[in-house]
Amino acid sequence: MTKSIVLKVINTSVFKRISIAVVVLLFFVQGISYVDTGGNVCGRLLNGGTLVDIDVWHPTGCMIHNYTPKDGSSCLKKQRVAFVGDKHMRNVYQSFMKKFFENSNIKETGTELKFQESNFAVDFFWRPHLDSDIHSLYESWLKNEDEAPNIIIQSAATPSIVNADEFDKDVDDFRANLTKLIPLMNNLVSNSSKLYWMLQAPEAELINPEERSKENAIVNKNLLLIKYNEAIEVILGSASRSGLYANISIVNSPAEVASQTIKQSKNGFSHPGSVAELTTQILMNLFCNDVQRPIDGSCCQRPPPVTILQIGAFIVGLVCVLLSLLISCVRLCTRTSPKAVSTASAAEGCGDVSDIEKDVHMRSYSYSENTPSCSSPNSKCNKKKTRRHRLSSLILLAGKLSCILLYFYICDRSDVFMKANKHFTTIRFCVPLIYLILIGIFGINRCKKQEGLFCQDQSDEWKGWMILIILVYHMTGAYEKTWITMHYRLLISMYLFISGYTNFNHYWNTGDFGIRRMFSMVLRSNLLTVLLCVVMNRTYQFYFFVPLNTFWFLILYFFMAIPPRAYLSKKLGGQEHSQIDGMSSRKLSWICSPYFIAMFKFAVMLFSIFTVSRFENEFSNLFTWWPIVRLFEQTRGSVQEWWQIVQLDRFSMVFGAITAFGYQVLKRFSVVDDLKQGCLFSFKASSLTFTASFFAFSGFSYWSSLCKDEGSCEPTYTYICLMPMTSYLLLRNIPGYIRSGFSSFFAWFGKIYLELFIAQYHIWSAADGKGVLVVIASNWPMLNLVLTTLVFVCVAHELNQLTTIFTDWFVGTSQDSVRRLIVRIFILLAVILFFVIINDVTNSRSES
């Protein structure tokens, strides 16, 4: 009784309603903030951030890209950049040139430094004070527009000797000089130039008692510096916010970098890198992000242009949403009418109820493929009403799916919600895993029924804990560590292993090689991916796990479905007979037994895979034909990455099928006993196998720790990864008390693993998985993680249900003809081809 009450209060429906409220609230709050700032995403880069580690700076609400020396000349093409200021600005200039133009020839003319190339220039002008010299510099730029810089980095120095009694006078003089300079600045930026005024950074205070007088001078200088910065923010900041000086911006981040560096140095941290080097990266992101458009550099980068396909998808989605709202209003108005009540009562007694409607979690999605088909002629249920009800239910679901896809776009292709860089530490990676393991242990339950080796609950559990580790891996940016990356790849291979194992068992036990099940599985796993390819403007290959799993599934299906087919069937009387299509059971011999045929097919399959793996160019050419190349290319016309992914896991799914076949052979000869609570084998064999499996599983971890880089270990990984897969399966099933239980916590996530894997790139991580989605202030990281995780998991669960229903509707039931399904398949392929053509035409026009 208590459990039922708790389930009514705490269930997925309640959490989904909470997540909807959270999304709506955050959307309005962040949307208002975005509009209030005028959509200026550069403000997130220029104003503040956090020094999260030694020489690692994260701006507030956007992602900073780490530029390399080769990016300097390509980014600053046709640009003239001028650094104007004192010795601090000269340090920034020298650090900038050393980082990106190390071998450049800088000409020194008096106090000025000049670097000139054929199509760009980067200069430094010594103008520490706001006096007549800086007025002359600006006037010369106004007179000679060809020499005027496009980008100006300006700062001003504080007096070297400061008396506390003269603070007010110095600040008033500075404010007056800055006010006089503003007209010149405004005239210059009106000619398409941009000016960035960099606030002065504080100096570190001394702690040596012998230099107390010098320390007092530094304290006074820092206090005056604060006054100067406040004056700049008042004069330039208010004018910039009002739109008076649209091309004049205040840069506060370098000062924050210096301040936080000094603070952490006092706390015992060491910073071997300079503040100027971090400032250099901030400036490069300011100059180059909108030019280079790196995926992990969202600061100062405008959202990508909307494609024709995206516009079409938005229009279709809007129509679905409007129609679903209309249908909901009509149903709401007619729900309480006497006629509707009598119709509902009559419908309850008509026909069968689909399996989806029987599931308490799926009642709201009832489109009812088997909706009331009444045999009574006087019944109010008829085919016309059935079709109308089915169509209206599908439109409602399409409207809901459209809203979810719009949420994907807003999170990852707009600046409404913020994004942040990932930062890996071992503690950040290990602590979530420990929490998840403890929760998973407390969620252990008994299997409802003993289904033998590797039952469905075990399969879901295995998928569940793997997807949780993968999510932690992506969220913490653990791909920087090679040994963790190798384990991540092992998890991907294990998914293929599970798919091969379960699909072979299905073929072997049922003999179901029909096109309906095959296409149902392909559509179910690809529907969300195809929609995201259109909405997010990404290739099919971007979501690499889906094409990889689909490819090897089709290979396995092709080999197993070709006659003669190997499977077991049970005839009347409970006797098990071997059967091959088109042959009488009396004529069967040991050569035609399903065991021999299965072994023969595996041998041919392994030989084919091994042979094809030797011909990279020929394999790649199969995927360079138009329009297939548009699905698998990462760079224009190149499918090299697809070849590498397929090669890496070329034996994983086949090995899963072979393992399932080996289990069937051992079961046939009564070597294994998986229907009892005891050990899987005899006690001695079980002990030896369990020990060997443990060392084999641990051996992979030891091997991965020896990998210096991914490239050197990939050829060996293809074969070594097969060892821990079977090892884990044996470790999980040899002891009967472990085999008979499962973690319901992990199994729940395992049921929606595919949606979690795909959706994480856009609505949990950000920037196609390169960053982290930030929906609230960045100084609340744990609360942000809780909110984004809540919405992410609820959306994944919803997508799992929606894609299942749409797949069932599209594929139909076993009563529908196969010809009708084939026609639908060709229509779907024609639609995808149309998308590719539209995308090609629009891209060629934009490139030209």
Side-chain angles (χ1 to χ4, degrees), residues 640-680:
Q640 179 65 27
E641 185 172 346
W642 170 242
W643 160 258
Q644 294 175 352
I645 292 173
V646 172
Q647 275 285 91
L648 198 63
D649 286 305
R650 59 183 181 271
F651 296 117
S652 299
M653 185 172 290
V654 179
F655 188 69
I658 294 175
T659 303
F661 174 70
Y663 158 70
Q664 295 293 341
V665 173
L666 295 177
K667 189 175 181 180
R668 174 68 177 82
F669 292 99
S670 302
V671 177
V672 297
D673 185 8
D674 56 357
L675 297 179
K676 296 182 180 180
Q677 296 296 322
C679 294
L680 191 64

Tab-separated table of all heavy atoms in Angstrom, residues 640-680:
chain	number	residue	atom	x	y	z
A	640	GLN	N	37.301	8.953	-44.081
A	640	GLN	CA	38.404	8.311	-43.379
A	640	GLN	C	38.022	7.963	-41.943
A	640	GLN	O	38.357	6.885	-41.437
A	640	GLN	CB	39.620	9.240	-43.385
A	640	GLN	CG	40.841	8.697	-42.649
A	640	GLN	CD	41.423	7.464	-43.308
A	640	GLN	OE1	41.278	7.288	-44.515
A	640	GLN	NE2	42.066	6.614	-42.525
A	641	GLU	N	37.311	8.848	-41.285
A	641	GLU	CA	36.931	8.585	-39.895
A	641	GLU	C	35.961	7.412	-39.799
A	641	GLU	O	36.025	6.610	-38.862
A	641	GLU	CB	36.316	9.841	-39.271
A	641	GLU	CG	36.010	9.689	-37.792
A	641	GLU	CD	35.579	10.985	-37.157
A	641	GLU	OE1	35.765	12.054	-37.778
A	641	GLU	OE2	35.053	10.939	-36.039
A	642	TRP	N	35.060	7.293	-40.769
A	642	TRP	CA	34.133	6.171	-40.788
A	642	TRP	C	34.886	4.853	-40.944
A	642	TRP	O	34.575	3.861	-40.280
A	642	TRP	CB	33.122	6.374	-41.904
A	642	TRP	CG	32.256	5.177	-42.199
A	642	TRP	CD1	32.197	4.496	-43.370
A	642	TRP	CD2	31.322	4.545	-41.325
A	642	TRP	NE1	31.291	3.472	-43.289
A	642	TRP	CE2	30.736	3.465	-42.037
A	642	TRP	CE3	30.922	4.762	-40.013
A	642	TRP	CZ2	29.779	2.635	-41.480
A	642	TRP	CZ3	29.973	3.922	-39.449
A	642	TRP	CH2	29.412	2.876	-40.177
A	643	TRP	N	35.891	4.832	-41.800
A	643	TRP	CA	36.711	3.635	-41.989
A	643	TRP	C	37.409	3.254	-40.678
A	643	TRP	O	37.449	2.084	-40.297
A	643	TRP	CB	37.733	3.878	-43.087
A	643	TRP	CG	38.905	2.946	-43.064
A	643	TRP	CD1	40.155	3.216	-42.605
A	643	TRP	CD2	38.937	1.585	-43.509
A	643	TRP	NE1	40.965	2.121	-42.728
A	643	TRP	CE2	40.243	1.095	-43.286
A	643	TRP	CE3	38.005	0.733	-44.074
A	643	TRP	CZ2	40.626	-0.190	-43.602
A	643	TRP	CZ3	38.385	-0.557	-44.400
A	643	TRP	CH2	39.683	-1.020	-44.168
A	644	GLN	N	37.953	4.220	-39.964
A	644	GLN	CA	38.658	3.944	-38.717
A	644	GLN	C	37.720	3.381	-37.648
A	644	GLN	O	38.084	2.446	-36.921
A	644	GLN	CB	39.331	5.215	-38.217
A	644	GLN	CG	40.454	5.713	-39.121
A	644	GLN	CD	41.012	7.036	-38.669
A	644	GLN	OE1	40.487	7.672	-37.762
A	644	GLN	NE2	42.097	7.475	-39.313
A	645	ILE	N	36.513	3.925	-37.589
A	645	ILE	CA	35.563	3.447	-36.588
A	645	ILE	C	35.128	2.019	-36.890
A	645	ILE	O	35.060	1.162	-35.995
A	645	ILE	CB	34.355	4.393	-36.525
A	645	ILE	CG1	34.765	5.750	-35.966
A	645	ILE	CG2	33.236	3.792	-35.676
A	645	ILE	CD1	33.678	6.781	-36.018
A	646	VAL	N	34.826	1.746	-38.143
A	646	VAL	CA	34.402	0.400	-38.527
A	646	VAL	C	35.533	-0.604	-38.298
A	646	VAL	O	35.304	-1.721	-37.819
A	646	VAL	CB	33.948	0.384	-40.005
A	646	VAL	CG1	33.695	-1.034	-40.480
A	646	VAL	CG2	32.681	1.217	-40.170
A	647	GLN	N	36.749	-0.209	-38.627
A	647	GLN	CA	37.892	-1.093	-38.445
A	647	GLN	C	38.121	-1.438	-36.982
A	647	GLN	O	38.453	-2.570	-36.631
A	647	GLN	CB	39.156	-0.425	-39.004
A	647	GLN	CG	39.364	-0.629	-40.475
A	647	GLN	CD	39.852	-2.032	-40.785
A	647	GLN	OE1	39.071	-2.940	-41.023
A	647	GLN	NE2	41.150	-2.219	-40.755
A	648	LEU	N	37.943	-0.449	-36.126
A	648	LEU	CA	38.259	-0.630	-34.712
A	648	LEU	C	37.395	-1.709	-34.069
A	648	LEU	O	37.853	-2.467	-33.213
A	648	LEU	CB	38.089	0.700	-33.978
A	648	LEU	CG	38.764	0.825	-32.618
A	648	LEU	CD1	40.278	0.712	-32.749
A	648	LEU	CD2	38.391	2.153	-31.970
A	649	ASP	N	36.132	-1.805	-34.476
A	649	ASP	CA	35.202	-2.754	-33.864
A	649	ASP	C	34.680	-3.766	-34.881
A	649	ASP	O	33.527	-4.167	-34.829
A	649	ASP	CB	34.014	-1.994	-33.246
A	649	ASP	CG	34.410	-1.274	-31.974
A	649	ASP	OD1	34.942	-1.931	-31.065
A	649	ASP	OD2	34.204	-0.051	-31.887
A	650	ARG	N	35.530	-4.200	-35.752
A	650	ARG	CA	35.057	-5.065	-36.829
A	650	ARG	C	34.703	-6.482	-36.357
A	650	ARG	O	33.972	-7.198	-37.036
A	650	ARG	CB	36.092	-5.140	-37.948
A	650	ARG	CG	37.455	-5.659	-37.567
A	650	ARG	CD	38.395	-5.593	-38.771
A	650	ARG	NE	39.740	-6.089	-38.528
A	650	ARG	CZ	40.734	-5.343	-38.078
A	650	ARG	NH1	40.521	-4.061	-37.818
A	650	ARG	NH2	41.938	-5.856	-37.892
A	651	PHE	N	35.202	-6.887	-35.190
A	651	PHE	CA	34.902	-8.230	-34.714
A	651	PHE	C	33.957	-8.256	-33.508
A	651	PHE	O	33.570	-9.340	-33.073
A	651	PHE	CB	36.199	-8.955	-34.325
A	651	PHE	CG	37.134	-9.188	-35.464
A	651	PHE	CD1	38.397	-8.615	-35.479
A	651	PHE	CD2	36.765	-9.980	-36.545
A	651	PHE	CE1	39.271	-8.824	-36.528
A	651	PHE	CE2	37.627	-10.189	-37.613
A	651	PHE	CZ	38.875	-9.608	-37.602
A	652	SER	N	33.586	-7.089	-32.978
A	652	SER	CA	32.863	-7.059	-31.704
A	652	SER	C	31.492	-7.708	-31.796
A	652	SER	O	31.140	-8.572	-30.981
A	652	SER	CB	32.740	-5.610	-31.219
A	652	SER	OG	34.014	-5.047	-31.004
A	653	MET	N	30.679	-7.299	-32.780
A	653	MET	CA	29.331	-7.855	-32.873
A	653	MET	C	29.374	-9.326	-33.294
A	653	MET	O	28.593	-10.143	-32.777
A	653	MET	CB	28.479	-7.043	-33.849
A	653	MET	CG	27.022	-7.494	-33.898
A	653	MET	SD	25.941	-6.420	-34.865
A	653	MET	CE	25.871	-4.969	-33.822
A	654	VAL	N	30.237	-9.671	-34.215
A	654	VAL	CA	30.352	-11.067	-34.644
A	654	VAL	C	30.787	-11.942	-33.472
A	654	VAL	O	30.292	-13.059	-33.293
A	654	VAL	CB	31.348	-11.189	-35.809
A	654	VAL	CG1	31.501	-12.637	-36.239
A	654	VAL	CG2	30.914	-10.327	-36.969
A	655	PHE	N	31.692	-11.427	-32.654
A	655	PHE	CA	32.145	-12.189	-31.493
A	655	PHE	C	31.011	-12.385	-30.489
A	655	PHE	O	30.933	-13.432	-29.828
A	655	PHE	CB	33.316	-11.474	-30.836
A	655	PHE	CG	33.972	-12.276	-29.749
A	655	PHE	CD1	34.694	-13.415	-30.044
A	655	PHE	CD2	33.876	-11.884	-28.424
A	655	PHE	CE1	35.300	-14.152	-29.049
A	655	PHE	CE2	34.466	-12.605	-27.423
A	655	PHE	CZ	35.189	-13.753	-27.734
A	656	GLY	N	30.133	-11.388	-30.365
A	656	GLY	CA	28.967	-11.561	-29.505
A	656	GLY	C	28.073	-12.678	-30.002
A	656	GLY	O	27.560	-13.492	-29.214
A	657	ALA	N	27.864	-12.739	-31.326
A	657	ALA	CA	27.064	-13.818	-31.900
A	657	ALA	C	27.733	-15.176	-31.710
A	657	ALA	O	27.076	-16.183	-31.403
A	657	ALA	CB	26.806	-13.548	-33.380
A	658	ILE	N	29.061	-15.244	-31.873
A	658	ILE	CA	29.792	-16.494	-31.681
A	658	ILE	C	29.704	-16.945	-30.226
A	658	ILE	O	29.564	-18.146	-29.934
A	658	ILE	CB	31.253	-16.325	-32.126
A	658	ILE	CG1	31.318	-16.096	-33.634
A	658	ILE	CG2	32.092	-17.530	-31.733
A	658	ILE	CD1	32.710	-15.793	-34.153
A	659	THR	N	29.778	-15.987	-29.305
A	659	THR	CA	29.644	-16.335	-27.890
A	659	THR	C	28.265	-16.912	-27.598
A	659	THR	O	28.132	-17.897	-26.850
A	659	THR	CB	29.886	-15.095	-27.020
A	659	THR	OG1	31.179	-14.550	-27.311
A	659	THR	CG2	29.810	-15.435	-25.544
A	660	ALA	N	27.226	-16.313	-28.179
A	660	ALA	CA	25.873	-16.851	-27.995
A	660	ALA	C	25.758	-18.251	-28.586
A	660	ALA	O	25.113	-19.138	-27.999
A	660	ALA	CB	24.857	-15.915	-28.644
A	661	PHE	N	26.387	-18.472	-29.732
A	661	PHE	CA	26.364	-19.798	-30.338
A	661	PHE	C	27.116	-20.809	-29.473
A	661	PHE	O	26.683	-21.959	-29.297
A	661	PHE	CB	26.984	-19.737	-31.733
A	661	PHE	CG	27.137	-21.080	-32.388
A	661	PHE	CD1	26.025	-21.793	-32.819
A	661	PHE	CD2	28.396	-21.641	-32.561
A	661	PHE	CE1	26.165	-23.037	-33.417
A	661	PHE	CE2	28.545	-22.874	-33.167
A	661	PHE	CZ	27.428	-23.580	-33.591
A	662	GLY	N	28.269	-20.392	-28.929
A	662	GLY	CA	29.003	-21.278	-28.036
A	662	GLY	C	28.199	-21.660	-26.820
A	662	GLY	O	28.240	-22.824	-26.362
A	663	TYR	N	27.459	-20.706	-26.280
A	663	TYR	CA	26.574	-21.005	-25.145
A	663	TYR	C	25.507	-22.021	-25.537
A	663	TYR	O	25.198	-22.958	-24.771
A	663	TYR	CB	25.946	-19.708	-24.651
A	663	TYR	CG	24.672	-19.899	-23.866
A	663	TYR	CD1	24.672	-20.454	-22.597
A	663	TYR	CD2	23.442	-19.498	-24.404
A	663	TYR	CE1	23.491	-20.619	-21.880
A	663	TYR	CE2	22.269	-19.661	-23.710
A	663	TYR	CZ	22.297	-20.222	-22.448
A	663	TYR	OH	21.132	-20.390	-21.747
A	664	GLN	N	24.944	-21.892	-26.747
A	664	GLN	CA	23.931	-22.845	-27.202
A	664	GLN	C	24.520	-24.244	-27.373
A	664	GLN	O	23.871	-25.252	-27.059
A	664	GLN	CB	23.322	-22.362	-28.521
A	664	GLN	CG	22.533	-21.062	-28.433
A	664	GLN	CD	21.259	-21.198	-27.620
A	664	GLN	OE1	20.758	-22.311	-27.399
A	664	GLN	NE2	20.740	-20.063	-27.177
A	665	VAL	N	25.748	-24.327	-27.853
A	665	VAL	CA	26.402	-25.634	-28.013
A	665	VAL	C	26.649	-26.278	-26.657
A	665	VAL	O	26.372	-27.479	-26.452
A	665	VAL	CB	27.720	-25.476	-28.790
A	665	VAL	CG1	28.500	-26.787	-28.813
A	665	VAL	CG2	27.454	-24.999	-30.216
A	666	LEU	N	27.185	-25.504	-25.705
A	666	LEU	CA	27.426	-26.041	-24.365
A	666	LEU	C	26.125	-26.457	-23.689
A	666	LEU	O	26.077	-27.473	-22.976
A	666	LEU	CB	28.147	-24.997	-23.509
A	666	LEU	CG	29.568	-24.613	-23.949
A	666	LEU	CD1	30.130	-23.518	-23.063
A	666	LEU	CD2	30.484	-25.828	-23.934
A	667	LYS	N	25.079	-25.695	-23.940
A	667	LYS	CA	23.784	-26.049	-23.369
A	667	LYS	C	23.239	-27.311	-24.010
A	667	LYS	O	22.590	-28.143	-23.350
A	667	LYS	CB	22.818	-24.874	-23.568
A	667	LYS	CG	21.504	-25.025	-22.824
A	667	LYS	CD	20.667	-23.758	-22.991
A	667	LYS	CE	19.351	-23.892	-22.230
A	667	LYS	NZ	18.525	-22.670	-22.390
A	668	ARG	N	23.490	-27.468	-25.306
A	668	ARG	CA	23.014	-28.658	-26.022
A	668	ARG	C	23.634	-29.929	-25.459
A	668	ARG	O	22.983	-30.972	-25.358
A	668	ARG	CB	23.361	-28.510	-27.508
A	668	ARG	CG	23.064	-29.735	-28.361
A	668	ARG	CD	21.563	-29.979	-28.473
A	668	ARG	NE	21.268	-31.090	-29.340
A	668	ARG	CZ	21.301	-32.373	-28.972
A	668	ARG	NH1	21.661	-32.697	-27.741
A	668	ARG	NH2	20.991	-33.321	-29.833
A	669	PHE	N	24.921	-29.861	-25.040
A	669	PHE	CA	25.606	-31.022	-24.496
A	669	PHE	C	25.609	-31.026	-22.967
A	669	PHE	O	26.408	-31.737	-22.351
A	669	PHE	CB	27.042	-31.071	-25.021
A	669	PHE	CG	27.143	-31.358	-26.490
A	669	PHE	CD1	27.328	-30.332	-27.405
A	669	PHE	CD2	27.012	-32.654	-26.970
A	669	PHE	CE1	27.409	-30.582	-28.765
A	669	PHE	CE2	27.091	-32.911	-28.333
A	669	PHE	CZ	27.283	-31.889	-29.231
A	670	SER	N	24.740	-30.206	-22.379
A	670	SER	CA	24.543	-30.179	-20.916
A	670	SER	C	25.829	-29.853	-20.161
A	670	SER	O	26.049	-30.346	-19.048
A	670	SER	CB	23.973	-31.523	-20.437
A	670	SER	OG	22.758	-31.811	-21.072
A	671	VAL	N	26.670	-29.025	-20.743
A	671	VAL	CA	27.883	-28.598	-20.056
A	671	VAL	C	27.579	-27.474	-19.073
A	671	VAL	O	28.198	-27.367	-18.016
A	671	VAL	CB	28.948	-28.146	-21.076
A	671	VAL	CG1	30.202	-27.631	-20.377
A	671	VAL	CG2	29.293	-29.293	-22.010
A	672	VAL	N	26.610	-26.639	-19.404
A	672	VAL	CA	26.216	-25.534	-18.526
A	672	VAL	C	24.840	-25.826	-17.961
A	672	VAL	O	24.011	-26.500	-18.583
A	672	VAL	CB	26.206	-24.195	-19.285
A	672	VAL	CG1	27.587	-23.854	-19.781
A	672	VAL	CG2	25.221	-24.221	-20.436
A	673	ASP	N	24.602	-25.293	-16.763
A	673	ASP	CA	23.305	-25.439	-16.101
A	673	ASP	C	22.930	-24.069	-15.550
A	673	ASP	O	23.325	-23.693	-14.440
A	673	ASP	CB	23.385	-26.473	-14.983
A	673	ASP	CG	22.022	-26.739	-14.344
A	673	ASP	OD1	21.021	-26.222	-14.884
A	673	ASP	OD2	21.970	-27.442	-13.329
A	674	ASP	N	22.201	-23.294	-16.349
A	674	ASP	CA	21.896	-21.915	-15.977
A	674	ASP	C	20.484	-21.725	-15.440
A	674	ASP	O	20.061	-20.599	-15.213
A	674	ASP	CB	22.099	-21.000	-17.194
A	674	ASP	CG	21.270	-21.437	-18.383
A	674	ASP	OD1	20.591	-22.470	-18.280
A	674	ASP	OD2	21.306	-20.743	-19.418
A	675	LEU	N	19.735	-22.801	-15.261
A	675	LEU	CA	18.365	-22.680	-14.772
A	675	LEU	C	18.271	-22.901	-13.273
A	675	LEU	O	17.186	-22.822	-12.700
A	675	LEU	CB	17.460	-23.667	-15.509
A	675	LEU	CG	17.333	-23.435	-17.018
A	675	LEU	CD1	16.437	-24.474	-17.640
A	675	LEU	CD2	16.837	-22.032	-17.311
A	676	LYS	N	19.382	-23.206	-12.619
A	676	LYS	CA	19.396	-23.401	-11.182
A	676	LYS	C	20.202	-22.294	-10.516
A	676	LYS	O	20.861	-21.497	-11.175
A	676	LYS	CB	19.983	-24.771	-10.846
A	676	LYS	CG	19.142	-25.944	-11.365
A	676	LYS	CD	19.753	-27.272	-10.964
A	676	LYS	CE	18.907	-28.442	-11.487
A	676	LYS	NZ	19.490	-29.753	-11.099
A	677	GLN	N	20.164	-22.268	-9.177
A	677	GLN	CA	20.846	-21.228	-8.432
A	677	GLN	C	22.327	-21.518	-8.232
A	677	GLN	O	23.043	-20.682	-7.700
A	677	GLN	CB	20.173	-21.060	-7.055
A	677	GLN	CG	18.736	-20.589	-7.138
A	677	GLN	CD	18.619	-19.208	-7.739
A	677	GLN	OE1	19.448	-18.354	-7.482
A	677	GLN	NE2	17.601	-18.989	-8.554
A	678	GLY	N	22.782	-22.708	-8.638
A	678	GLY	CA	24.173	-23.066	-8.433
A	678	GLY	C	25.091	-22.455	-9.461
A	678	GLY	O	24.719	-21.576	-10.236
A	679	CYS	N	26.342	-22.970	-9.467
A	679	CYS	CA	27.329	-22.464	-10.401
A	679	CYS	C	26.972	-22.865	-11.826
A	679	CYS	O	26.281	-23.853	-12.059
A	679	CYS	CB	28.719	-22.996	-10.033
A	679	CYS	SG	29.341	-22.379	-8.459
A	680	LEU	N	27.496	-22.093	-12.762
A	680	LEU	CA	27.178	-22.332	-14.169
A	680	LEU	C	27.783	-23.646	-14.651
A	680	LEU	O	27.160	-24.387	-15.414
A	680	LEU	CB	27.698	-21.161	-15.011
A	680	LEU	CG	27.250	-21.096	-16.472
A	680	LEU	CD1	25.746	-20.898	-16.572
A	680	LEU	CD2	27.971	-19.965	-17.196
